[in-house]
Structure formats: C-alpha cells, structure tokens
Amino acid sequence: MHNSSWQNLREIYDESGRLLIFRSLLQDKTVSRLRCLLFLASSDQKDANQKEKVFFDICADLVNIAEQQRLEGSNLWHSYLVKLIAENENPFSRTCARHGREISGSSLFQGALHDVCIIKKLYHLSFADLFSAGEISPLIENFHVRNVSLDDTKRPCLSKMEVLNDFFAGSSEEDLALALVDFYHKFGCGVVGMFDFFRWEEGRGLVGVCHPDPVRLADLIGYQWQKEIIIKNTEAFIEGKKANNLLLYGDRGTGKSSTIKALVNEYSARGLRLVEVSRHQLHRLLEIVRPIRDYAQKFIIFIDDLSFEGAETDYKFLKALMEGGVEVMPDNVLIYATSNRRHLVQETWQDRGEAGGEIHASDSLAEKLSLSDRFGLTVTFTSPDQEEYLSIVEGLAKKQGIDLPVSELKERAIEWERWHNARSGRTAQQFINHLLSTL
C-alpha cells in the first residue's frame, strides 16, 4: 500500500471518531468493524490474519443485511451507510422533521455539515484499498440478485433511501446536508421515517411492519357514505385541524379494518402513520403514545375488534387517555377502533339492576357506556342487502378482470352466499378468490 493510501485511511479512521450529530453510527456493529479494519490497514501491524478476519466479518454482515432488508444496489456498503443515515434519529433529524429548511444556518445544521464531510469519506471508501481479497471486494461493490423481484410494497424503506443515494454519490457537502434536511422533513426520522405501519412490542417499542396490507380505498367497493365521513375526518387530522377519535362499529366482514389500513396507504405521503395496539396492551397506552408526541407525523392508534367482558377493567386506561386523564392525548394522535359491539363493554341484566347486586347499578352502567361516548364519531357498517352484495361482487369481478356473464356471476354469488351463511364484503371477496382459483 502506498504511503498516501495509508495516510488517507488513517485520516478517515481518526475523523470518523469525531462524528458529532451522527455519533450513534459508531455503535453500529458493521461501522465499528470497518473502523477497526481502517486502523489495522493504516498501522504498522503485520497481523494479516486479523485483518482478514475483520474484512470477511464486514463482508458477511453486508451480505446478510442485504438479504434480510432487501438491499439492492451497485455497492452494498453505499446502500447500508445510506440506510443508517436515513433512519438515524438525533437532534438534527428530529428538528428537520418538524421545521424543514428553517433549520439551515443554525448550530445544528453546522454540526450536521461537519459530520457530512466525514460521512462522505466513509461512503467513498474502496474495499479493494482496505484488503486484497480476490473477487470478494467486487462482490460487495457490485452486488445484485438475479431474477429476484423486489416489489416496492415489500421494501418500504428502499424507495425512500434511493432519494439520498445520488446526493451521497456526487453532491457537495452543503447540498447533501440540505438533502438530509429535506429528506427528514418529508419522511420523518428514525423508524418513523422508514415505515408507515407499526406495532408496539414489549421491550422494543415501535417496530416497523415490513409487509403491510397494501389495500387501497379504491379496492373497497360500497359503503360510500361511511368512507366519506372517515376520509373527511382523517384529512382534517392530517391538515392539523380538529378531528375526532373514530369508532367503526358493525357486522363482521364489512371492511371496517380494511378501511383504516387503506387510509394509511392513501395518505402516508402526507405524513399519516398507523400503530397497531391490541386491547391487551391498553394498560401501556401512555407509554406507547409518549414517544410519538414529538414526531411531525400524524398517528392513528389502531385497535381492532375492541370489546370487553363485564369483569374487564382495561377499558379505563383507554377512557383516561381519550378524555379525563391528567395527561392529555397529543395533537398528532387519534384513536381509530373497530368493534362488533356498539357499546364496547358487555352489559348484563345485573348492570341494569334487574337481578340485584350493586345498589347504584346505573352508575356502573353509565361508566361502561361512557367509553363509546369518548369516540366523537361512530360510523356503522351493516351487512349489505342482496342488491348491495351483488354490486360489491360485480365491482370486485371487474377489478380482477373476471369475464363472466353478469347473470351467471350473480347466480353463482347468491349460491356462494347461501352455502356460507353470510352476506358481506368479506364473503364477496372470498367468492371472487374462489372464482379466480377455478376459472
């Protein structure tokens, strides 16, 4: 290795240790290994075995990460470093998410500019300069998977990351810093910038959903006035206006849950996100909501199939968050729930004072019924009549390109509904799936 190359690697090693805003990058296992290799490659140590081990550890990391996270690109190291930057959460990225280019010229921006100069040098590292390993370096720097389709619906992060790749490759440091400002402002920072759908897991917090349901509003046939109410409320929420918590109540299979998921697919580009919470996690609601209070995005807390048996008390945590608790719900959070039970909490005759028990039974009943009152809007999804059911079938058949005479399609749809003892949007979709498998 030439002295100039040795000196250059040593400078990159030293400078990478001076990261400020993006300092958490140093805690990443692969970045840490790369710095170790930089040190070994730029030192007088002759331990070739150690250098080889670290080099192949890095290569194995990148190939495994590429497979797990669907990274595809001419250079795996470039793709991986851009991913780390895109999802990094720090004071700069959080402030950019809220204020955009208003931050330019600030101390935070100057700190980010300092780091960008270092990160660009890391980005342009050549693996061939770090270790001579035959065809391994070209594999990392020209990685692709033949005949594997990477559908954008299955790689929610990658299309966003591609926005940054060109800037890293050729832009000036200041242009790249401004590109980061725009990126965080548009998509958000941390895991919220990388995903649109989340679930909450004990010990991990928000976890991005890699394969969300891709359903769109156009896929949902029927229930037009219900969708109009839900869309208007959601658009007001996105625009920062006052909006209501929403309860979608009605018969099973009528598209309540699909409507909520479709909203996020429709409006994710405008900052709408969804966090799925089970009713068994309701006692953690405040813990779930607190971290997302500081994000610029709007969050729907989605509780599917919400109902409680008479003896359960977890509904009180939901009541306290929605209204009446000391800690108010953030302006960027709404609760959208679905239920097959109008009043959510099971009522008994004893609650109504019909069979003895509590002296002030009406108080107990009022407490239970007050949960549904916390939802400013209740939208009812009833099972369709036969005409509506057949209209849904026709719409789905047309969307799928099923070429059957309308009379035969309707006759078979009615027969299917009778055999399955149900008439709903779900039944219609199952009938269409059956046709697609047999025609």
Side-chain angles (χ1 to χ4, degrees):
M1 182 182 297
H2 297 296
N3 287 337
S4 59
S5 297
W6 178 93
Q7 188 65 31
N8 184 50
L9 294 179
R10 188 55 183 246
E11 286 177 2
I12 296 174
Y13 170 80
D14 290 339
E15 289 182 23
S16 63
R18 302 186 190 115
L19 285 171
L20 174 63
I21 299 296
F22 291 90
R23 194 164 185 81
S24 61
L25 294 181
L26 301 180
Q27 300 169 15
D28 178 78
K29 181 180 68 173
T30 305
V31 173
S32 178
R33 283 175 169 165
L34 182 70
R35 292 191 71 238
C36 178
L37 185 59
L38 281 169
F39 179 81
L40 292 172
S42 63
S43 69
D44 293 332
Q45 297 183 36
K46 304 299 182 182
D47 190 347
N49 290 334
Q50 178 66 6
K51 294 178 186 177
E52 181 177 284
K53 179 184 182 305
V54 176
F55 177 80
F56 281 97
D57 282 344
I58 294 169
C59 293
D61 282 348
L62 292 175
V63 172
N64 285 328
I65 291 165
E67 188 270 332
Q68 293 166 8
Q69 302 184 11
R70 303 291 197 271
L71 295 183
E72 170 88 353
S74 60
N75 189 306
L76 278 188
W77 168 241
H78 290 174
S79 297
Y80 183 61
L81 184 59
V82 169
K83 178 182 180 298
L84 291 181
I85 299 299
E87 66 186 13
N88 195 268
E89 188 167 353
N90 56 58
F92 171 72
S93 61
R94 284 193 293 267
T95 306
C96 290
R98 285 200 166 275
H99 302 293
R101 290 208 174 193
E102 293 177 22
I103 194 178
S104 59
S106 68
S107 297
L108 273 178
F109 184 81
Q110 293 304 315
L113 189 57
H114 164 271
D115 282 10
V116 162
C117 296
I118 299 170
I119 291 168
K120 282 204 73 174
K121 292 180 180 179
L122 285 171
Y123 179 89
H124 287 294
L125 272 175
S126 170
F127 275 62
D129 290 340
L130 292 170
F131 189 83
S132 178
E135 296 182 355
I136 301 302
S137 296
L139 179 148
I140 297 301
E141 296 180 352
N142 190 21
F143 183 86
H144 66 280
V145 182
R146 292 187 62 189
N147 301 323
V148 175
S149 174
L150 296 177
D151 188 342
D152 278 344
T153 62
K154 296 180 180 179
R155 51 173 198 170
C157 309
L158 300 189
S159 58
K160 298 176 181 180
M161 286 164 43
E162 288 166 3
V163 175
L164 292 179
N165 244 325
D166 291 340
F167 283 96
F168 270 96
S171 299
S172 68
E173 284 79 3
E174 186 160 358
D175 286 344
L176 177 53
L178 288 171
L180 287 175
V181 172
D182 294 338
F183 178 87
Y184 294 132
H185 187 57
K186 180 177 181 179
F187 297 116
C189 63
V191 67
V192 171
M194 292 292 97
F195 295 90
D196 301 327
F197 292 80
F198 304 86
R199 63 172 57 90
W200 193 85
E201 293 184 6
E202 192 79 31
R204 297 182 63 191
L206 285 184
V207 176
V209 177
C210 293
H211 307 289
D213 186 342
V215 62
R216 305 296 293 240
L217 289 172
D219 299 329
L220 305 174
I221 312 296
Y223 298 99
Q224 199 58 41
W225 70 264
Q226 290 93 332
K227 287 191 289 188
E228 287 178 6
I229 293 173
I230 296 166
I231 288 170
K232 284 182 180 178
N233 190 69
T234 305
E235 288 184 341
F237 177 48
I238 294 169
E239 292 165 6
K241 300 175 183 177
K242 287 293 183 182
N244 281 299
N245 298 308
L246 199 61
L247 174 63
L248 281 62
Y249 153 76
D251 300 314
R252 67 187 189 277
T254 49
K256 303 182 296 296
S257 302
S258 295
T259 300
I260 295 175
K261 290 181 284 188
L263 287 170
V264 181
N265 289 321
E266 208 74 34
Y267 296 110
S268 60
R270 293 172 61 183
L272 189 63
R273 303 289 186 266
L274 179 145
V275 181
E276 184 179 34
V277 176
S278 73
R279 68 185 183 92
H280 301 295
Q281 295 174 320
L282 293 181
H283 65 291
R284 298 285 194 186
L285 264 178
L286 283 176
E287 186 179 341
I288 295 169
V289 166
R290 279 179 191 137
I292 63 181
R293 179 187 294 270
D294 296 326
Y295 288 104
Q297 284 70 33
K298 306 292 185 181
F299 292 84
I300 291 174
I301 301 295
F302 173 46
I303 310 172
D304 198 21
D305 197 20
L306 180 64
S307 65
F308 302 92
E309 302 303 320
E312 291 183 281
T313 59
D314 281 354
Y315 67 89
K316 295 183 179 181
F317 294 102
L318 183 56
K319 282 176 56 178
L321 178 64
M322 292 170 73
E323 281 181 39
V326 175
E327 186 170 343
V328 298
M329 193 159 68
D331 291 336
N332 66 333
V333 174
L334 282 182
I335 294 174
Y336 281 17
T338 69
S339 181
N340 298 329
R341 184 177 286 167
R342 172 64 179 85
H343 293 299
L344 302 179
V345 183
Q346 183 187 53
E347 300 174 62
T348 66
W349 289 113
Q350 186 173 357
D351 290 330
R352 297 177 180 270
E354 299 290 337
E358 185 179 348
I359 294 175
H360 299 290
S362 61
D363 292 345
S364 177
L365 177 61
E367 181 186 21
K368 291 182 175 182
L369 297 184
S370 66
L371 174 59
S372 59
D373 293 340
R374 295 294 202 276
F375 292 90
L377 284 173
T378 298
V379 182
T380 304
F381 283 69
T382 56
S383 292
D385 59 27
Q386 188 173 93
E387 183 179 347
E388 291 170 325
Y389 167 70
L390 293 175
S391 176
I392 294 172
V393 168
E394 284 187 71
L396 292 173
K398 183 177 180 180
K399 195 171 185 65
Q400 292 294 338
I402 294 175
D403 187 19
L404 275 180
V406 174
S407 58
E408 182 182 349
L409 180 70
K410 289 183 176 181
E411 182 180 345
R412 294 175 68 167
I414 292 171
E415 182 181 4
W416 178 270
E417 174 253 313
R418 286 172 180 165
W419 273 103
H420 291 79
N421 195 30
R423 186 188 293 146
S424 67
R426 181 181 297 157
T427 307
Q429 183 62 65
Q430 290 168 346
F431 168 65
I432 293 299
N433 292 343
H434 169 72
L435 284 183
L436 289 170
S437 68
T438 56
L439 291 178

